[in-house]
Amino acid sequence: MMLQTLPVFCFVFVADLPEILYFSLSILVFCRPKRTLYSKKYGVDLIRYTHAANTVVYSSNKIDDTIRYLSLHDNKYIRYFPGHTKRVVALSMSPVDDTFISGSLDKTIRLWDLRSPNCQGLMHLQGKPVCSFDPEGLIFAAGVNSEMVKLYDLRSFDKGPFATFKMQYDRTCEWTGLKFSNDGKLILISTNGGFIRLIDAFKGAVLHTFGGYNNSKAVTLEASFTPDSQFIMIGSEDGKIHVWNGESGMKVAVLDGKHTGPITCLQFNPKFMTFASACSNMAFWLPTIDD
């Protein structure tokens, strides 16, 4: 078992690597890192794989707010994407091409292409954004000011959103993440409070509000769908993982990953039934084989 000395704020799966093939709710495997790459000068915050398994884009938390395109093969920068003037708080890679979007505390969302350092599109918003592509890469959603979801067509985003969903504003917390389900029918909104929301991606209706987990210190906790879009999971301040049925809204499990702190990251492998959770240590979950 390998324990890291610093909290894990972000991790990503490589979709085509089948080292762990199955998903579980009861077995943990701890792994040693294959390789360590440093970004001591600029720091690392959000990181996303591109469609090439050996390259990533990531946001920085030192010096400036430029997004960097890095080759993992030789640890060299391929390209820089300057433009944001405050910390980048959302980063989403298109599932179909080299387009990606970023959202910043400068109240803008920028559209990029990996092949060019120039911003391909710019949207000025009224508050802090969170954003994500849908599974088809045709539209993207922007959560604005913790009270509104706007849907944009990637081909005509400059004309404004084609749909806007207004949510009930909660002054006790702010939105920290937004994700589409793999079937594209649902949107999951994460907060730094004690609840997350599941909404209909077509109508904007709130289907369920999930709570009952610990987050008294307003930590940014990542929530995720299972690959079949049927269940929703989130970590908690006390190191537990809570699981709900997305259709019924009922809590179906509370998992103990032996985490020593808040679970800030929780993601499923995009192709194989396995997931990982992390605080200052990372756990990979494998399946239980019933006798």
Side-chain angles (χ1 to χ4, degrees):
M1 182 174 72
M2 183 277 300
L3 294 179
Q4 300 180 358
T5 57
L6 294 174
V8 177
F9 295 109
C10 186
F11 62 74
V12 286
F13 276 100
V14 187
D16 295 324
L17 295 184
E19 278 88 353
I20 302 174
L21 299 179
Y22 303 103
F23 156 68
S24 165
L25 298 182
S26 63
I27 300 177
L28 291 171
V29 174
F30 290 86
C31 305
R32 294 187 180 279
K34 184 176 181 180
R35 187 181 176 199
T36 301
L37 301 175
Y38 294 97
S39 181
K40 294 182 178 180
K41 181 178 180 180
Y42 302 112
V44 180
D45 194 359
L46 304 177
I47 184 168
R48 302 288 184 261
Y49 270 103
T50 67
H51 294 287
N54 62 346
T55 61
V56 297
V57 289
Y58 74 89
S59 63
S60 305
N61 53 18
K62 295 180 181 179
I63 297 183
D64 60 26
D65 301 290
T66 296
I67 298 170
R68 291 170 171 83
Y69 184 20
L70 177 70
S71 168
L72 302 179
H73 173 70
D74 50 13
N75 198 25
K76 292 184 178 179
Y77 293 111
I78 301 171
R79 192 162 289 115
Y80 299 90
F81 303 97
H84 285 301
T85 58
K86 291 185 179 181
R87 184 168 67 92
V88 174
V89 293
L91 192 61
S92 178
M93 191 78 207
S94 166
V96 297
D97 58 26
D98 288 335
T99 305
F100 70 96
I101 52 176
S102 58
S104 167
L105 292 179
D106 62 14
K107 300 181 181 179
T108 66
I109 289 178
R110 291 177 179 263
L111 178 68
W112 309 90
D113 189 304
L114 287 175
R115 296 165 293 186
S116 170
N118 300 317
C119 177
Q120 305 297 302
L122 174 62
M123 284 152 285
H124 292 277
L125 306 170
Q126 300 301 313
K128 171 189 171 182
V130 290
C131 55
S132 180
F133 278 101
D134 83 317
E136 302 298 324
L138 299 176
I139 68 173
F140 63 89
V144 184
N145 210 31
S146 300
E147 63 177 347
M148 195 177 303
V149 175
K150 296 176 178 286
L151 300 182
Y152 294 85
D153 188 315
L154 188 62
R155 297 160 294 185
S156 57
F157 65 88
D158 55 322
K159 298 179 181 179
F162 65 84
T164 299
F165 308 137
K166 186 74 179 293
M167 308 284 135
Q168 183 176 354
Y169 182 66
D170 191 320
R171 296 183 179 181
T172 65
C173 63
E174 63 179 18
W175 295 359
T176 56
L178 183 153
K179 290 183 179 180
F180 280 90
S181 59
N182 280 347
D183 62 11
K185 297 179 180 180
L186 304 169
I187 294 176
L188 181 61
I189 299 172
S190 304
T191 75
N192 63 356
F195 67 91
I196 54 179
R197 284 200 175 109
L198 184 68
I199 70 171
D200 186 299
F202 299 102
K203 299 178 181 179
V206 177
L207 302 176
H208 299 291
T209 298
F210 304 115
Y213 59 92
N214 295 327
N215 192 17
S216 62
K217 297 180 181 179
V219 178
T220 298
L221 304 173
E222 183 175 18
S224 288
F225 288 101
T226 54
D228 60 7
S229 306
Q230 293 188 28
F231 298 92
I232 291 90
M233 308 176 70
I234 191 171
S236 62
E237 194 176 69
D238 59 4
K240 301 291 195 304
I241 297 173
H242 297 252
V243 188
W244 294 268
N245 183 296
E247 183 175 358
S248 69
M250 299 295 294
K251 184 176 289 188
V252 296
V254 178
L255 313 177
D256 187 359
K258 308 301 181 184
H259 285 289
T260 57
I263 300 175
T264 52
C265 298
L266 192 154
Q267 287 188 27
F268 274 81
N269 186 297
K271 286 192 174 182
F272 306 106
M273 292 297 285
T274 180
F275 76 92
S277 55
C279 58
S280 57
N281 61 290
M282 182 180 292
F284 288 84
W285 296 76
L286 299 176
T288 302
I289 301 176
D290 297 329
D291 296 332

